[in-house]
Amino acid sequence: LANADYVIVGKAVASSGGNVPSSNMRSCFANLTAKLIKVKDGKVIAYLDASGNSIHMDLITGGREALVKAATDLANKLIETLNKNK
């Protein structure tokens, strides 16, 4: 309906790890996967993944920070892939 050239579908998961020694900080991790699909012919252009990490006292904030880092990495990979497939 939006006349898009590409569609991205994927999954994002954030999780917590262990405590940082001698502190009340927790390690947090995020994993993202994405599939880039060309709408015109339905062809899958790329399967991409990225990960990020963070250390924070609050697990929600730490998970969000890890997701932002992973999303930044994934966005760069998507742009690179799209530029190659022009």
Side-chain angles (χ1 to χ4, degrees):
L1 294 173
N3 295 322
D5 293 326
Y6 298 93
V7 172
I8 301 167
V9 294
K11 182 177 180 179
V13 177
S15 58
S16 64
N19 290 335
V20 175
S22 302
S23 81
N24 59 351
M25 304 289 269
R26 295 283 301 268
S27 57
C28 300
F29 306 94
N31 293 300
L32 285 89
T33 58
K35 182 168 45 172
L36 178 62
I37 303 166
K38 188 173 185 179
V39 174
K40 184 176 179 179
D41 57 10
K43 181 180 176 186
V44 176
I45 302 298
Y47 293 96
L48 303 167
D49 61 23
S51 60
N53 58 55
S54 176
I55 298 174
H56 205 280
M57 288 187 296
D58 178 59
L59 294 178
I60 302 296
T61 303
R64 183 191 57 78
E65 288 176 356
L67 284 166
V68 168
K69 289 179 182 180
T72 300
D73 183 35
L74 186 68
N76 290 329
K77 290 178 180 180
L78 283 166
I79 291 167
E80 183 179 316
T81 300
L82 288 168
N83 284 334
K84 287 180 183 177
N85 286 291
K86 281 187 175 181

